[in-house]
């Protein structure tokens, strides 16, 4: 079993829809949770960063962490064609090994 | 803005060649990372470095080595390239235990 599981998609939605992207994980020591957006043939760019449980909002994006269920989500409101990309979740324990563990990514297509 | 620059966007090398992938960051980050990205497998950590001349193996270090002689530069070396090392290689840098800012990636094809 992978340490971080993410549905690969593709997920296709119409413009304006609310998108929900999710990851589950098995390592209860993870404390830092991130979402990256990766356009085709580009490097990942950091979208959202959350520490421990709770919600964080930034414009049309909301990140949720539920540590009790080992489940994180990214919501995109009023989705736009420019949101079409692969979304990667990433996690870190914050101590010890200073590297992130990534999900395999969900490909999102927003249809105009 | 953080800038992580990888020396090449695309590379084609022959089997058995020694390949160098270079990465430079301009934010004085102590941590630097090399990942490879393959369809369906996501990003897998090859090596990382938390200080000059320091390195630690990631999840898939076999067939690779690294060099960090200066804080801003982290090199990935494929000692003898093989076709199963055809992949997208991503360099990242960060501060602390939860940061990673990525370069644009190098798409390496080994023929």
């Amino acid at each position: 079993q992978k340490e971080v599981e993410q549905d690969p998609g593709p997920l296709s939605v119409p413009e304006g829809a609310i998108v929900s992207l999710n990851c589950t994980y098995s390592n209860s020591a993870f404390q830092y949770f991130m979402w990256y957006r990766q356009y085709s043939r580009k490097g990942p760019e950091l979208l959202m960063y959350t520490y421990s449980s709770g919600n964080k909002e930034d414009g049309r994006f909301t990140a949720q962490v539920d540590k009790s269920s080992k489940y994180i989500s990214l919501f995109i409101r009023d989705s736009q064609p420019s949101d079409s990309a692969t979304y990667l979740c990433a996690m870190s324990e914050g101590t010890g090994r200073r590297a992130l563990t990534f999900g395999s990514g969900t490909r999102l297509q927003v249809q105009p | 803005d953080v800038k992580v620059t990888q020396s090449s966007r695309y590379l084609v090398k022959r089997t058995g060649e020694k390949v160098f992938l270079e990465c430079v960051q301009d934010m004085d980050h102590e941590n630097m990372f090399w990942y490879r990205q393959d369809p369906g497998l996501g990003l897998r950590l090859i090596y990382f470095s938390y200080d000059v001349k320091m390195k630690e193996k990631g999840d898939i270090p076999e067939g690779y080595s690294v060099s960090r002689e200066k804080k801003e530069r982290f090199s990935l070396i494929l000692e003898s390239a093989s076709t199963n090392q055809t992949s997208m290689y991503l360099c990242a840098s960060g501060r602390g235990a939860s940061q990673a800012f990525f370069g644009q990636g190098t798409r390496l094809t080994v023929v």
Side-chain angles (χ1 to χ4, degrees):
Chain A
Q1 184 189 2
K2 290 183 183 178
E3 208 168 7
V4 179
E5 298 277 0
Q6 187 174 6
D7 189 326
L11 179 61
S12 184
V13 300
E15 184 174 353
I18 296 174
V19 175
S20 172
L21 304 167
N22 311 293
C23 287
T24 59
Y25 62 94
S26 56
N27 184 352
S28 57
F30 285 143
Q31 296 190 74
Y32 296 89
F33 303 90
M34 286 133 278
W35 286 95
Y36 284 80
R37 178 175 62 195
Q38 185 177 22
Y39 292 115
S40 182
R41 298 188 180 85
K42 303 283 189 183
E45 56 177 322
L46 182 63
L47 200 57
M48 298 287 283
Y49 176 98
T50 311
Y51 171 69
S52 194
S53 284
N55 293 1
K56 185 172 184 179
E57 190 172 318
D58 184 0
R60 296 184 295 111
F61 299 89
T62 300
Q64 284 187 353
V65 175
D66 182 349
K67 289 187 72 180
S68 62
S69 301
K70 297 191 182 71
Y71 188 87
I72 70 170
S73 301
L74 178 71
F75 297 96
I76 307 173
R77 289 183 298 281
D78 188 24
S79 56
Q80 303 294 309
S82 58
D83 295 327
S84 298
T86 296
Y87 290 80
L88 300 152
C89 63
M91 308 176 189
S92 167
E93 294 181 15
T95 59
R97 189 169 107 158
R98 306 182 193 193
L100 305 183
T101 301
F102 284 83
S104 55
T106 299
R107 191 154 60 93
L108 171 67
Q109 294 174 327
V110 181
Q111 308 292 343
Chain B
D1 274 359
V2 175
K3 190 152 189 187
V4 179
T5 304
Q6 294 184 229
S7 53
S8 305
R9 291 293 305 277
Y10 301 95
L11 273 180
V12 180
K13 296 292 181 180
R14 295 194 181 279
T15 301
E17 275 193 79
K18 191 169 186 175
V19 181
F20 294 86
L21 302 182
E22 308 284 346
C23 176
V24 177
Q25 52 100 358
D26 67 356
M27 285 302 292
D28 200 37
H29 287 156
E30 66 267 22
N31 299 328
M32 295 190 75
F33 312 89
W34 277 105
Y35 288 87
R36 66 177 279 178
Q37 185 175 32
D38 301 286
L41 298 176
L43 274 75
R44 293 179 291 167
L45 182 67
I46 305 171
Y47 268 98
F48 69 102
S49 168
Y50 51 89
D51 202 351
V52 175
K53 297 191 188 295
M54 304 302 287
K55 61 185 179 185
E56 283 198 25
K57 292 180 180 179
D59 300 314
I60 51 164
E62 297 78 19
Y64 303 95
S65 62
V66 290
S67 172
R68 192 166 181 201
E69 296 295 319
K70 293 185 177 181
K71 191 174 185 180
E72 67 271 16
R73 187 179 297 270
F74 192 34
S75 302
L76 180 70
I77 303 151
L78 285 67
E79 297 292 342
S80 177
S82 64
T83 54
N84 63 14
Q85 292 178 310
T86 291
S87 186
M88 170 75 117
Y89 289 87
L90 290 159
C91 175
S93 74
R95 186 171 288 125
S98 59
Q99 268 192 356
F101 297 95
F102 285 87
Q104 292 288 67
T106 297
R107 187 166 293 277
L108 172 68
T109 302
V110 182
V111 298

mmCIF file of all heavy atoms in Angstrom, chain B residues 42-67:
data_model
loop_
_atom_site.group_PDB
_atom_site.id
_atom_site.type_symbol
_atom_site.label_atom_id
_atom_site.label_comp_id
_atom_site.label_asym_id
_atom_site.label_seq_id
_atom_site.Cartn_x
_atom_site.Cartn_y
_atom_site.Cartn_z
ATOM 1 N N GLY B 42 3.735 9.032 -9.800
ATOM 2 C CA GLY B 42 3.916 10.282 -9.079
ATOM 3 C C GLY B 42 5.367 10.684 -8.966
ATOM 4 O O GLY B 42 6.219 10.252 -9.749
ATOM 5 N N LEU B 43 5.654 11.500 -7.969
ATOM 6 C CA LEU B 43 7.015 11.951 -7.710
ATOM 7 C C LEU B 43 7.679 11.021 -6.706
ATOM 8 O O LEU B 43 7.141 10.772 -5.636
ATOM 9 C CB LEU B 43 7.026 13.369 -7.133
ATOM 10 C CG LEU B 43 6.999 14.518 -8.129
ATOM 11 C CD1 LEU B 43 5.620 14.682 -8.711
ATOM 12 C CD2 LEU B 43 7.466 15.795 -7.463
ATOM 13 N N ARG B 44 8.850 10.535 -7.079
ATOM 14 C CA ARG B 44 9.602 9.662 -6.186
ATOM 15 C C ARG B 44 10.950 10.300 -5.883
ATOM 16 O O ARG B 44 11.644 10.749 -6.790
ATOM 17 C CB ARG B 44 9.780 8.282 -6.811
ATOM 18 C CG ARG B 44 8.464 7.509 -6.957
ATOM 19 C CD ARG B 44 8.695 6.158 -7.597
ATOM 20 N NE ARG B 44 9.069 6.296 -8.997
ATOM 21 C CZ ARG B 44 9.581 5.298 -9.731
ATOM 22 N NH1 ARG B 44 9.784 4.120 -9.194
ATOM 23 N NH2 ARG B 44 9.900 5.509 -10.998
ATOM 24 N N LEU B 45 11.295 10.297 -4.608
ATOM 25 C CA LEU B 45 12.505 10.974 -4.158
ATOM 26 C C LEU B 45 13.737 10.121 -4.459
ATOM 27 O O LEU B 45 13.816 8.962 -4.057
ATOM 28 C CB LEU B 45 12.412 11.246 -2.659
ATOM 29 C CG LEU B 45 13.566 11.999 -2.026
ATOM 30 C CD1 LEU B 45 13.632 13.429 -2.544
ATOM 31 C CD2 LEU B 45 13.414 12.000 -0.507
ATOM 32 N N ILE B 46 14.707 10.730 -5.135
ATOM 33 C CA ILE B 46 15.939 10.019 -5.461
ATOM 34 C C ILE B 46 16.998 10.280 -4.377
ATOM 35 O O ILE B 46 17.534 9.356 -3.770
ATOM 36 C CB ILE B 46 16.481 10.467 -6.837
ATOM 37 C CG1 ILE B 46 15.414 10.287 -7.927
ATOM 38 C CG2 ILE B 46 17.738 9.680 -7.196
ATOM 39 C CD1 ILE B 46 15.795 10.892 -9.263
ATOM 40 N N TYR B 47 17.316 11.543 -4.171
ATOM 41 C CA TYR B 47 18.277 11.969 -3.156
ATOM 42 C C TYR B 47 17.858 13.339 -2.648
ATOM 43 O O TYR B 47 17.193 14.100 -3.347
ATOM 44 C CB TYR B 47 19.692 12.117 -3.757
ATOM 45 C CG TYR B 47 20.573 10.902 -3.664
ATOM 46 C CD1 TYR B 47 20.699 10.036 -4.749
ATOM 47 C CD2 TYR B 47 21.307 10.625 -2.514
ATOM 48 C CE1 TYR B 47 21.526 8.918 -4.686
ATOM 49 C CE2 TYR B 47 22.148 9.510 -2.443
ATOM 50 C CZ TYR B 47 22.239 8.665 -3.530
ATOM 51 O OH TYR B 47 23.061 7.564 -3.464
ATOM 52 N N PHE B 48 18.294 13.656 -1.448
ATOM 53 C CA PHE B 48 18.188 15.026 -1.002
ATOM 54 C C PHE B 48 19.412 15.417 -0.191
ATOM 55 O O PHE B 48 20.191 14.561 0.238
ATOM 56 C CB PHE B 48 16.879 15.287 -0.258
ATOM 57 C CG PHE B 48 16.749 14.617 1.084
ATOM 58 C CD1 PHE B 48 16.931 15.330 2.259
ATOM 59 C CD2 PHE B 48 16.390 13.278 1.164
ATOM 60 C CE1 PHE B 48 16.768 14.718 3.485
ATOM 61 C CE2 PHE B 48 16.235 12.662 2.391
ATOM 62 C CZ PHE B 48 16.418 13.379 3.551
ATOM 63 N N SER B 49 19.563 16.713 -0.025
ATOM 64 C CA SER B 49 20.729 17.254 0.672
ATOM 65 C C SER B 49 20.259 18.358 1.602
ATOM 66 O O SER B 49 19.465 19.211 1.212
ATOM 67 C CB SER B 49 21.725 17.816 -0.343
ATOM 68 O OG SER B 49 22.717 18.583 0.308
ATOM 69 N N TYR B 50 20.719 18.337 2.843
ATOM 70 C CA TYR B 50 20.312 19.351 3.809
ATOM 71 C C TYR B 50 21.453 20.301 4.164
ATOM 72 O O TYR B 50 21.318 21.168 5.024
ATOM 73 C CB TYR B 50 19.733 18.709 5.083
ATOM 74 C CG TYR B 50 20.603 17.653 5.687
ATOM 75 C CD1 TYR B 50 21.577 17.978 6.628
ATOM 76 C CD2 TYR B 50 20.466 16.317 5.317
ATOM 77 C CE1 TYR B 50 22.384 17.007 7.179
ATOM 78 C CE2 TYR B 50 21.273 15.328 5.868
ATOM 79 C CZ TYR B 50 22.229 15.687 6.802
ATOM 80 O OH TYR B 50 23.029 14.719 7.332
ATOM 81 N N ASP B 51 22.592 20.123 3.495
ATOM 82 C CA ASP B 51 23.715 21.032 3.724
ATOM 83 C C ASP B 51 24.774 20.740 2.667
ATOM 84 O O ASP B 51 24.758 19.671 2.033
ATOM 85 C CB ASP B 51 24.296 20.840 5.130
ATOM 86 C CG ASP B 51 25.074 22.054 5.627
ATOM 87 O OD1 ASP B 51 25.323 22.988 4.828
ATOM 88 O OD2 ASP B 51 25.430 22.075 6.814
ATOM 89 N N VAL B 52 25.697 21.666 2.522
ATOM 90 C CA VAL B 52 26.788 21.448 1.571
ATOM 91 C C VAL B 52 27.527 20.165 1.928
ATOM 92 O O VAL B 52 27.796 19.892 3.096
ATOM 93 C CB VAL B 52 27.742 22.652 1.590
ATOM 94 C CG1 VAL B 52 28.955 22.388 0.709
ATOM 95 C CG2 VAL B 52 27.016 23.907 1.131
ATOM 96 N N LYS B 53 27.802 19.380 0.914
ATOM 97 C CA LYS B 53 28.512 18.103 1.017
ATOM 98 C C LYS B 53 27.744 17.031 1.788
ATOM 99 O O LYS B 53 28.262 15.948 2.016
ATOM 100 C CB LYS B 53 29.909 18.288 1.624
ATOM 101 C CG LYS B 53 30.840 19.152 0.784
ATOM 102 C CD LYS B 53 32.258 19.081 1.281
ATOM 103 C CE LYS B 53 33.149 20.091 0.569
ATOM 104 N NZ LYS B 53 33.284 19.802 -0.864
ATOM 105 N N MET B 54 26.529 17.320 2.204
ATOM 106 C CA MET B 54 25.713 16.324 2.891
ATOM 107 C C MET B 54 24.651 15.806 1.934
ATOM 108 O O MET B 54 24.092 16.577 1.144
ATOM 109 C CB MET B 54 25.047 16.931 4.130
ATOM 110 C CG MET B 54 25.995 17.558 5.117
ATOM 111 S SD MET B 54 27.237 16.412 5.749
ATOM 112 C CE MET B 54 26.244 15.422 6.836
ATOM 113 N N LYS B 55 24.363 14.518 2.022
ATOM 114 C CA LYS B 55 23.338 13.934 1.163
ATOM 115 C C LYS B 55 22.703 12.758 1.881
ATOM 116 O O LYS B 55 23.326 12.124 2.741
ATOM 117 C CB LYS B 55 23.940 13.464 -0.157
ATOM 118 C CG LYS B 55 25.012 12.398 0.012
ATOM 119 C CD LYS B 55 25.668 12.056 -1.300
ATOM 120 C CE LYS B 55 26.765 11.006 -1.093
ATOM 121 N NZ LYS B 55 27.511 10.730 -2.328
ATOM 122 N N GLU B 56 21.456 12.502 1.500
ATOM 123 C CA GLU B 56 20.769 11.320 2.026
ATOM 124 C C GLU B 56 20.021 10.636 0.900
ATOM 125 O O GLU B 56 19.471 11.314 0.020
ATOM 126 C CB GLU B 56 19.772 11.708 3.129
ATOM 127 C CG GLU B 56 20.439 11.997 4.449
ATOM 128 C CD GLU B 56 19.472 11.943 5.619
ATOM 129 O OE1 GLU B 56 18.439 11.257 5.526
ATOM 130 O OE2 GLU B 56 19.761 12.611 6.627
ATOM 131 N N LYS B 57 19.995 9.334 0.940
ATOM 132 C CA LYS B 57 19.263 8.578 -0.065
ATOM 133 C C LYS B 57 17.770 8.757 0.135
ATOM 134 O O LYS B 57 17.282 8.807 1.257
ATOM 135 C CB LYS B 57 19.618 7.096 0.035
ATOM 136 C CG LYS B 57 21.048 6.777 -0.367
ATOM 137 C CD LYS B 57 21.327 5.297 -0.244
ATOM 138 C CE LYS B 57 22.765 4.979 -0.642
ATOM 139 N NZ LYS B 57 23.070 3.536 -0.513
ATOM 140 N N GLY B 58 17.088 8.830 -0.997
ATOM 141 C CA GLY B 58 15.639 8.840 -0.965
ATOM 142 C C GLY B 58 15.101 7.430 -1.150
ATOM 143 O O GLY B 58 15.702 6.461 -0.694
ATOM 144 N N ASP B 59 14.005 7.333 -1.871
ATOM 145 C CA ASP B 59 13.349 6.043 -2.021
ATOM 146 C C ASP B 59 13.905 5.210 -3.176
ATOM 147 O O ASP B 59 13.793 3.986 -3.172
ATOM 148 C CB ASP B 59 11.850 6.267 -2.236
ATOM 149 C CG ASP B 59 11.218 6.997 -1.061
ATOM 150 O OD1 ASP B 59 11.503 6.618 0.091
ATOM 151 O OD2 ASP B 59 10.458 7.956 -1.295
ATOM 152 N N ILE B 60 14.498 5.874 -4.170
ATOM 153 C CA ILE B 60 14.979 5.144 -5.362
ATOM 154 C C ILE B 60 16.369 5.632 -5.765
ATOM 155 O O ILE B 60 16.572 6.126 -6.863
ATOM 156 C CB ILE B 60 13.989 5.280 -6.545
ATOM 157 C CG1 ILE B 60 13.632 6.750 -6.798
ATOM 158 C CG2 ILE B 60 12.717 4.461 -6.293
ATOM 159 C CD1 ILE B 60 13.004 6.988 -8.143
ATOM 160 N N PRO B 61 17.391 5.470 -4.923
ATOM 161 C CA PRO B 61 18.716 6.010 -5.237
ATOM 162 C C PRO B 61 19.554 5.165 -6.194
ATOM 163 O O PRO B 61 20.572 5.631 -6.710
ATOM 164 C CB PRO B 61 19.385 6.053 -3.864
ATOM 165 C CG PRO B 61 18.759 4.900 -3.132
ATOM 166 C CD PRO B 61 17.329 4.828 -3.626
ATOM 167 N N GLU B 62 19.133 3.941 -6.460
ATOM 168 C CA GLU B 62 19.964 3.028 -7.244
ATOM 169 C C GLU B 62 20.191 3.580 -8.646
ATOM 170 O O GLU B 62 19.254 3.967 -9.342
ATOM 171 C CB GLU B 62 19.296 1.644 -7.332
ATOM 172 C CG GLU B 62 19.126 0.929 -5.994
ATOM 173 C CD GLU B 62 17.953 1.453 -5.184
ATOM 174 O OE1 GLU B 62 17.047 2.096 -5.770
ATOM 175 O OE2 GLU B 62 17.950 1.237 -3.957
ATOM 176 N N GLY B 63 21.455 3.588 -9.048
ATOM 177 C CA GLY B 63 21.813 4.065 -10.384
ATOM 178 C C GLY B 63 22.078 5.556 -10.454
ATOM 179 O O GLY B 63 22.418 6.076 -11.522
ATOM 180 N N TYR B 64 21.951 6.236 -9.306
ATOM 181 C CA TYR B 64 22.140 7.684 -9.248
ATOM 182 C C TYR B 64 23.158 8.041 -8.162
ATOM 183 O O TYR B 64 23.329 7.308 -7.195
ATOM 184 C CB TYR B 64 20.826 8.395 -8.911
ATOM 185 C CG TYR B 64 19.681 8.121 -9.836
ATOM 186 C CD1 TYR B 64 18.748 7.128 -9.536
ATOM 187 C CD2 TYR B 64 19.512 8.866 -11.004
ATOM 188 C CE1 TYR B 64 17.686 6.869 -10.381
ATOM 189 C CE2 TYR B 64 18.441 8.617 -11.844
ATOM 190 C CZ TYR B 64 17.535 7.615 -11.532
ATOM 191 O OH TYR B 64 16.478 7.372 -12.374
ATOM 192 N N SER B 65 23.798 9.173 -8.344
ATOM 193 C CA SER B 65 24.582 9.783 -7.281
ATOM 194 C C SER B 65 24.356 11.284 -7.351
ATOM 195 O O SER B 65 23.753 11.781 -8.319
ATOM 196 C CB SER B 65 26.072 9.448 -7.405
ATOM 197 O OG SER B 65 26.591 9.952 -8.618
ATOM 198 N N VAL B 66 24.776 11.989 -6.332
ATOM 199 C CA VAL B 66 24.567 13.439 -6.285
ATOM 200 C C VAL B 66 25.831 14.122 -5.787
ATOM 201 O O VAL B 66 26.711 13.497 -5.188
ATOM 202 C CB VAL B 66 23.382 13.835 -5.373
ATOM 203 C CG1 VAL B 66 22.050 13.413 -5.979
ATOM 204 C CG2 VAL B 66 23.555 13.269 -3.980
ATOM 205 N N SER B 67 25.863 15.423 -6.038
ATOM 206 C CA SER B 67 26.974 16.236 -5.579
ATOM 207 C C SER B 67 26.456 17.597 -5.166
ATOM 208 O O SER B 67 25.658 18.211 -5.890
ATOM 209 C CB SER B 67 28.007 16.395 -6.701
ATOM 210 O OG SER B 67 29.001 17.322 -6.352
#
